[in-house]
């Protein structure tokens, strides 16, 4: 199918909005836009980070998900207590596939679920005593933990527990960082505020721990990787490239990360931000307080990787710049081969995306490297500054949708007829049942890594494997296909 | 009175960031911008205007300051 023109896209948006009552229509209209590369600022065409409409199917998560699930959860040597009822933590346990090295239950705790399992009496009489008790239990059972974070679920804020006081007391008793995080699910409009609250908690309770302590030997090439959650091993595939070009990666935030790495981050020379949405706050804070500059980079697909490596290297001396060139040259044969193999199979295919914090714009380059085109994209919980960064990456007249509703997404897909959709688990089965190839782009559909040159090879293979899978021809019931009558006749003869 | 985070970008221009609003803009002009005096009216590239209490020296960027919105 040919790409939609600007007028057709406009008509499509109007058509989709038609079904809403007037108030909802007005509101949703602000969240749907046609990309126009000539715009400098996204607020001219799209509104974001607003409360979702009641009654629509939104795909967003809550602040607790943003803090526990995204920012804090992957810090592997700390124990993160999901403070409140058991469900919030248990139903999200280990779902993000943040890989880590360590022995789970001994010195790392990433895939385990710790909860204070609130019962009615805790809601009525408060849960502070229980919290203090379980922290002592944790210390006894898992003595190798390096600290505890308290991730508040909704009831904590509602009943007014004083988790800060409990944390301070526990901190003295166990002599390890104990971090209370006020990330109750009802705060804000999406998981985005949870990221911010989590960043603020790191700022207030972790970052200063080694101020004035100069015992850590630094080098001029120290960097921290910020906003890489090591999904399917992403941070490892990124880290190797940075190290090969001569940099020293002091900390990974927070995939496969530790609290000690976080405490050392104020000593680095440069912060490298992959997921801008979830961790720009802490980067800006470190810039102001410790004068550490930060830059955004993109490790999806060879074009963007090379661009990013050079951009990073430009901030260092010639050895690093030469290192970057060496890395790019070293992997060239490898990624050229990947492109030579998969591009002919994927050329011209059209993709629609709807993901979280950075992927709606960051993966566009990787698809383009494979000759594919992204014809629609949107963020679950992006802000204006995310859309500002997206406009230039997307083609003109392509669709942009913020906090898209289940209904809108389905209608857009029916009309745009993309060859592939990249979105989350909640969308996956709807579109697969519609017969459209789908990749789960939050946790890489049990695959990965997708970052770095190694990741690109896997990314290309996965896209090909999904898109050109013969199963999509079998989605229609056999008696509903055109050939079926011939086959039936042939069989009866 | 929003808190504004100010920093200089690679071109040496002042970048204005208001976290609550996700506003990230380059400053077009600053009323006083010399070593002895800094502040006053700041015009952003999106046309909005802010006012900083003038001070007797250049702040040490990046820095967070309070500003008044003028329009
Ligand atoms: S909204 Fe509240 S109850 Fe629901 S998952 Fe988030 S913290 Fe738990």
């Amino acid at each position: 199918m040919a790409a939609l023109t600007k007028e057709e896209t406009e008509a499509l948006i109007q058509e989709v909005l038609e079904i809403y009552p007037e108030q909802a229509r007005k509101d949703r209209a602000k969240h749907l836009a046609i990309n126009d590369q000539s715009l400098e600022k996204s607020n001219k065409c799209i509104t974001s980070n607003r409360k979702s409409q009641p009654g629509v199917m939104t795909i967003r998560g809550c602040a607790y998900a943003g803090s526990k699930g995204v920012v804090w959860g992957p810090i592997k040597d700390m124990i993160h207590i999901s403070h409140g009822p058991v469900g919030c933590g248990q139903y999200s346990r280990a779902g993000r596939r943040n890989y880590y090295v360590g022995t789970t239950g001994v010195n790392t705790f990433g895939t385990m679920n710790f909860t204070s399992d609130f019962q009615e009496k805790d809601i009525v009489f408060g849960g502070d005593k229980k919290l203090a008790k379980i922290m002592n239990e944790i210390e006894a059972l898992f003595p190798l933990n390096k600290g505890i974070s308290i991730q508040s679920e909704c009831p904590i804020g509602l009943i007014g527990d004083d988790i800060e006081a409990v944390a301070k007391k526990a901190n003295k008793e166990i002599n390890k960082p104990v971090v209370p995080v006020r990330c109750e699910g009802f705060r804000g409009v999406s998981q985005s505020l949870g990221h911010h609250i989590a960043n603020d908690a790191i700022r207030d309770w972790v970052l200063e721990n080694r101020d004035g302590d100069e015992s850590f030997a630094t080098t001029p090439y120290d960097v921290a990787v910020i906003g890489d959650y090591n999904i399917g091993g992403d941070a490892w595939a990124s880290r190797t490239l940075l190290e090969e070009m001569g940099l020293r990666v002091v900390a990974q935030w927070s995939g496969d990360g530790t609290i000690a790495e976080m405490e050392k981050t104020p000593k680095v020379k440069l912060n490298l931000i992959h997921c801008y949405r979830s961790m720009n706050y802490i980067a800006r804070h470190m810039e102001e307080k410790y004068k550490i500059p930060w830059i955004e980079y993109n490790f999806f697909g060879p074009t963007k990787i090379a661009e990013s490596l050079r951009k990073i290297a430009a901030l260092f001396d010639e050895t690093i710049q030469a290192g970057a060139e060496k890395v790019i040259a070293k992997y060239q044969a490898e990624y050229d081969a990947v492109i030579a193999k998969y591009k002919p199979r994927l050329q011209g295919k059209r993709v629609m995306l709807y993901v979280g914090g950075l992927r709606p714009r960051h993966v566009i380059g990787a698809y383009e490297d494979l000759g594919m085109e992204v014809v629609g994209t949107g963020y679950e919980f992006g802000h204006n500054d995310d859309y500002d960064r997206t406009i230039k990456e997307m083609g003109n007249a392509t669709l942009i949708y913020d906090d898209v509703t289940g209904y809108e997404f389905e209608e857009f897909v029916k009309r745009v007829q993309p060859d592939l959709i990249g979105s989350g688990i909640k969308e996956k089965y709807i579109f697969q049942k519609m017969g459209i190839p789908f990749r789960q782009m939050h946790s890489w559909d049990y695959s990965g890594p997708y970052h770095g040159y190694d990741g690109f090879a896997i990314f290309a293979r996965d896209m090909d494997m999904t898109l050109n899978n013969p199963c999509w021809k079998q989605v229609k019931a056999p008696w509903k296909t055109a050939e079926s009558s011939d086959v039936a006749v042939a069989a009866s003869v | 009175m929003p808190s504004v985070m100010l920093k200089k970008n690679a071109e040496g221009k002042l970048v204005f960031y208001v976290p609550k609003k996700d506003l990230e803009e380059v400053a077009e002009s600053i009323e006083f911008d010399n070593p002895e005096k800094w502040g006053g009216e700041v015009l952003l590239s999106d046309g909005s205007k802010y006012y900083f209490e003038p001070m007797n020296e250049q702040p040490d960027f990046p820095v967070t300051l309070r500003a008044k919105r003028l329009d």
Side-chain angles (χ1 to χ4, degrees):
Chain A
M1 213 186 108
L4 298 182
T5 62
K6 189 161 183 245
E7 287 70 35
E8 284 170 323
T9 315
E10 180 68 60
L12 170 61
I13 292 179
Q14 288 316 321
E15 201 180 297
V16 167
L17 287 170
E18 200 81 330
I19 200 161
Y20 290 123
E22 200 190 326
Q23 198 56 46
R25 189 182 326 142
K26 257 203 216 141
D27 179 88
R28 287 303 308 158
K30 296 183 203 149
H31 295 262
L32 306 174
I34 305 159
N35 194 42
D36 178 355
Q37 288 188 333
S38 65
L39 286 180
E40 279 302 321
K41 286 282 155 187
S42 63
N43 53 8
K44 303 264 186 307
C45 68
I46 198 157
T47 305
S48 54
N49 198 30
R50 291 282 181 280
K51 192 176 169 308
S52 308
Q53 284 285 309
V56 301
M57 286 255 277
T58 170
I59 294 146
R60 285 173 161 175
C62 68
Y64 159 82
S67 176
K68 157 69 173 54
V70 177
V71 176
W72 281 97
I75 304 170
K76 61 180 177 178
D77 60 354
M78 286 180 83
I79 285 177
H80 311 287
I81 302 174
S82 294
H83 190 36
V86 64
C88 314
Q90 181 57 17
Y91 291 114
S92 60
R93 186 186 72 84
R96 271 189 105 231
R97 304 180 61 249
N98 319 96
Y99 284 6
Y100 58 87
V101 187
T103 308
T104 303
V106 179
N107 58 4
T108 48
F109 310 92
T111 50
M112 297 171 79
N113 178 30
F114 292 84
T115 175
S116 44
D117 185 21
F118 262 38
Q119 304 297 316
E120 219 170 313
K121 75 170 196 316
D122 302 314
I123 303 282
V124 176
F125 298 109
D128 285 345
K129 279 210 187 83
K130 191 173 197 177
L131 180 61
K133 187 170 157 215
I134 63 174
M135 285 201 270
N136 287 328
E137 273 175 25
I138 284 175
E139 259 313 283
L141 290 170
F142 304 99
L144 294 186
N145 80 73
K146 296 277 159 46
I148 297 174
S149 81
I150 304 160
Q151 307 286 332
S152 310
E153 294 166 7
C154 285
I156 307 308
L158 297 172
I159 62 177
D161 272 10
D162 189 358
I163 58 169
E164 286 81 7
V166 184
K168 277 193 189 127
K169 202 162 153 250
N171 170 261
K172 292 218 179 71
E173 279 169 24
I174 65 178
N175 218 359
K176 288 175 187 171
V178 179
V179 185
V181 191
R182 282 285 177 185
C183 56
E184 287 90 345
F186 57 76
R187 294 187 198 276
V189 299
S190 66
Q191 53 268 64
S192 183
L193 188 65
H195 305 143
H196 199 156
I197 293 169
N199 277 231
D200 289 353
I202 296 174
R203 177 195 67 198
D204 296 342
W205 298 82
V206 178
L207 218 53
E208 294 171 354
N209 289 3
R210 291 191 64 166
D211 281 8
D213 165 6
E214 302 303 327
S215 60
F216 178 63
T218 59
T219 77
Y221 303 129
D222 289 355
V223 297
V225 171
I226 307 238
D228 190 325
Y229 300 103
N230 204 29
I231 289 163
D234 277 345
W236 296 330
S238 308
R239 184 184 180 126
T240 48
L241 300 183
L242 296 169
E243 287 177 344
E244 276 177 47
M245 72 192 259
L247 298 172
R248 183 168 81 146
V249 180
V250 170
Q252 278 174 218
W253 290 51
S254 52
D256 194 30
T258 61
I259 181 147
E261 289 173 30
M262 295 190 128
E263 289 170 343
K264 272 183 269 186
T265 307
K267 321 263 180 228
V268 303
K269 299 292 177 298
L270 177 69
N271 277 325
L272 303 171
I273 313 292
H274 208 248
C275 179
Y276 169 85
R277 178 74 276 130
S278 60
M279 284 203 173
N280 79 80
Y281 316 100
I282 201 74
R284 288 178 196 275
H285 171 74
M286 283 193 257
E287 179 177 39
E288 185 171 352
K289 181 157 181 202
Y290 300 101
K291 309 289 174 210
I292 303 170
W294 54 276
I295 58 165
E296 294 168 57
Y297 71 107
N298 178 353
F299 269 4
F300 286 104
T303 310
K304 291 288 173 189
I305 297 174
E307 227 172 73
S308 299
L309 288 176
R310 292 192 174 117
K311 195 166 98 180
I312 295 166
L315 297 172
F316 290 93
D317 60 15
E318 274 139 37
T319 40
I320 302 293
Q321 284 156 17
E325 295 306 323
K326 222 173 66 204
V327 172
I328 296 166
K330 178 182 162 193
Y331 287 94
Q332 179 152 18
E334 202 176 290
Y335 62 74
D336 280 349
V338 171
I339 293 175
K341 179 168 176 192
Y342 292 105
K343 197 167 177 178
R345 297 169 63 81
L346 296 167
Q347 182 90 39
K349 300 287 187 198
R350 296 152 71 248
V351 189
M352 275 174 91
L353 299 170
Y354 179 64
V355 222
L358 78 161
R359 293 165 185 158
R361 63 172 177 275
H362 266 40
V363 297
I364 296 172
Y367 281 114
E368 287 175 349
D369 285 337
L370 293 169
M372 300 165 80
E373 187 195 353
V374 178
V375 293
T377 197
Y379 297 82
E380 269 177 42
F381 51 82
H383 297 204
N384 277 340
D385 38 2
D386 293 301
Y387 288 96
D388 288 346
R389 291 162 165 76
T390 311
I391 295 175
K392 301 284 174 224
E393 303 281 337
M394 289 287 285
N396 272 321
T398 51
L399 264 173
I400 299 197
Y401 27 82
D402 176 67
D403 185 23
V404 80
T405 68
Y407 159 76
E408 289 162 9
F409 201 12
E410 266 180 66
E411 292 305 305
F412 286 151
V413 165
K414 280 184 200 154
R415 269 297 299 282
V416 177
Q417 291 284 322
D419 300 291
L420 177 73
I421 300 175
S423 188
I425 193 75
K426 302 194 269 320
E427 297 76 76
K428 180 173 178 176
Y429 300 102
I430 299 164
F431 292 122
Q432 287 193 339
K433 286 174 187 173
M434 282 164 71
I436 300 170
F438 187 99
R439 287 300 299 186
Q440 210 265 74
M441 293 297 276
H442 291 264
S443 73
W444 307 146
D445 240 339
Y446 317 104
S447 180
Y450 283 179
H451 291 180
Y453 291 121
D454 292 345
F456 178 65
I458 299 167
F459 172 83
R461 181 205 64 192
D462 285 357
M463 295 309 138
D464 173 49
M465 174 172 92
T466 305
L467 231 157
N468 294 315
N469 195 309
C471 76
W472 303 113
K473 298 196 187 73
Q474 315 292 328
V475 179
K476 260 204 176 136
W479 59 90
K480 283 192 178 153
T481 56
E483 314 92 73
S484 68
S485 44
D486 306 343
V487 178
V489 171
S492 63
V493 177
Chain B
M1 291 275 279
S3 284
V4 181
M5 196 161 190
L6 297 164
K7 68 172 199 175
K8 291 267 166 88
N9 67 11
E11 291 87 54
K13 283 203 163 186
L14 195 65
V15 182
F16 209 84
Y17 176 71
V18 186
K20 285 244 166 66
K21 291 193 172 145
D22 298 312
L23 175 83
E24 207 177 15
E25 286 287 349
V26 175
E28 292 287 317
S29 67
I30 307 165
E31 195 178 347
F32 310 108
D33 190 10
N34 50 55
E36 291 87 54
K37 195 168 186 192
W38 185 93
E41 270 185 38
V42 174
L43 177 70
L44 300 189
S45 48
D46 68 347
S48 57
K49 266 195 212 146
Y50 288 80
Y51 178 81
F52 290 91
E53 208 50 60
M55 46 180 102
N56 297 333
E57 53 176 359
Q58 286 268 338
D60 182 14
F61 299 112
V63 68
T64 300
L65 295 172
R66 289 180 99 49
K68 233 195 286 183
R69 204 175 159 155
L70 286 183
D71 43 348

